[in-house]
């Protein structure tokens, strides 16, 4: 199976959690041993938001804010790539072409951000579309997708299943801004509604959830 794995910055980078990153590296090695083709995209977390804040203080525009956030995500990607060792590509992929080429060489692709105006969520959906992925799995700081933001509403209910068309209705923000933080950003939702790659959202604090989701176990929220 061809799988795109998105590890949220809110999971491994808020604060920076090297133990969790190492566990994710082990999960990727297991998936590779099982014969799967894998692309991994990491977010920049609070470090990225910190640099966005610095860019704002310097009165830099949204593009510049996005660019420093992308650099942060690529730093995390580089750490992860090195931890994977020989099973990964020689460097962090910085374009869809590089990702596709590396995957074609039988290696694990590791990426951060791509370009201003899109988050690493959107990168994951665009890569999934380009390489014709069978599945996209995202590890986030919640157990799945809820009918409303559980951080603000104690009565929020986790949804086990969603259609692509229902997706846009459950999120509060519907346009990109630097440092946006919700389970799936608006651009990613739009891409998913077009390319319809099956997506599973799980709690990223338990890396085993990735293996469970890929094995078809009932975990997180399935979007199909």
């Amino acid at each position: 199976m061809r799988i795109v794995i998105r590890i949220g910055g809110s999971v491994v980078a808020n604060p920076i959690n090297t133990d969790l990153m190492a566990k994710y590296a082990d999960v990727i090695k297991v998936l590779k041993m099982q014969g799967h083709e894998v692309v991994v995209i990491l977010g920049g977390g609070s470090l990225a938001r910190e640099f966005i804040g610095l860019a704002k203080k310097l009165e830099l525009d949204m593009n510049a804010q996005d660019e420093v956030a992308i650099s942060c995500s690529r730093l995390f990607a580089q750490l992860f790539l090195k931890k994977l060792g020989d099973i990964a590509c020689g460097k962090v992929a910085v374009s869809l072409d590089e990702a596709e080429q590396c995957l074609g060489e039988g290696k694990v692709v590791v990426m951060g951000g791509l370009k201003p105006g899109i988050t690493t969520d959107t990168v994951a959906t665009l890569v999934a579309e380009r390489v014709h992925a069978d599945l996209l799995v995202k590890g986030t700081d919640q157990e799945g997708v809820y009918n409303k933001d559980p951080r603000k509403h104690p009565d929020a209910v986790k949804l086990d299943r969603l259609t692509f068309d229902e997706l846009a209705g459950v999120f509060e923000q519907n346009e990109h801004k630097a440092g946006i933080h919700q389970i799936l950003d608006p651009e990613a939702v739009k891409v998913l509604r077009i390319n319809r790659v099956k997506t599973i959202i799980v709690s990223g604090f338990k890396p085993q959830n990735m293996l469970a989701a890929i094995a078809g176990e009932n975990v997180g929220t399935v979007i199909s």
Side-chain angles (χ1 to χ4, degrees):
M1 195 154 57
R2 193 165 268 195
I3 304 161
V4 174
I5 287 184
R6 164 89 173 88
I7 305 172
S10 58
V11 174
V12 292
N14 276 16
I16 297 166
N17 189 332
T18 50
D19 288 345
L20 200 53
M21 286 178 81
K23 285 177 183 167
Y24 268 108
D26 290 339
V27 163
I28 303 305
K29 288 171 185 173
V30 168
L31 290 173
K32 193 79 183 120
M33 280 189 336
Q34 289 173 347
H36 298 297
E37 296 176 286
V38 187
V39 181
V40 186
I41 294 104
L42 288 96
S46 56
L47 183 68
R49 275 184 275 282
E50 197 176 317
F51 271 81
I52 288 165
L54 295 173
K56 282 178 182 168
K57 281 183 181 170
L58 289 167
E59 299 180 354
L60 304 182
D61 65 15
M62 184 83 81
N63 253 24
Q65 292 171 33
D66 274 345
E67 281 170 6
V68 294
I70 287 166
S71 295
C72 292
S73 67
R74 287 178 179 172
L75 276 174
F76 285 111
Q78 191 173 2
L79 280 173
F80 195 73
L81 178 99
K82 297 297 181 188
K83 181 66 179 166
L84 285 176
D86 293 345
I87 65 166
C89 310
K91 66 184 187 74
V92 171
V94 295
S95 69
L96 296 177
D97 288 344
E98 282 185 15
E100 189 173 31
Q101 183 183 345
C102 168
L103 201 63
E105 291 166 3
K107 297 283 191 178
V108 174
V109 183
V110 184
M111 306 177 77
L114 268 189
K115 61 182 182 180
I118 64 171
T119 70
T120 36
D121 275 348
T122 307
V123 172
T125 58
L126 292 171
V127 171
E129 183 175 45
R130 168 63 78 92
V131 303
H132 305 293
D134 302 295
L135 183 64
L136 166 59
V137 187
K138 179 179 180 185
T140 184
D141 59 356
Q142 295 172 27
E143 295 290 332
V145 179
Y146 288 73
N147 63 340
K148 48 191 171 182
D149 191 340
R151 291 167 298 195
K152 297 176 186 170
H153 307 281
D155 60 338
V157 177
K158 184 174 87 71
L159 307 167
D160 290 336
R161 291 194 165 271
L162 269 173
T163 66
F164 293 112
D165 296 325
E166 289 167 341
L167 200 51
V170 296
F171 298 125
E172 291 180 6
Q173 295 172 317
N174 57 12
E175 60 182 51
H176 173 78
K177 61 174 186 273
I180 189 170
H181 180 56
Q182 64 183 28
I183 285 186
L184 277 174
D185 82 81
E187 287 304 311
V189 170
K190 287 176 194 167
V191 176
L192 280 179
R193 286 181 73 180
I194 295 166
N195 71 21
R196 304 199 164 239
V197 174
K198 182 181 177 181
T199 301
I200 306 176
I201 310 289
V202 299
S203 167
F205 295 115
K206 294 175 263 200
Q208 293 300 317
N209 280 342
M210 291 275 177
L211 296 174
I214 291 160
E217 292 175 33
N218 189 14
V219 59
T221 300
V222 177
I223 305 159
S224 61

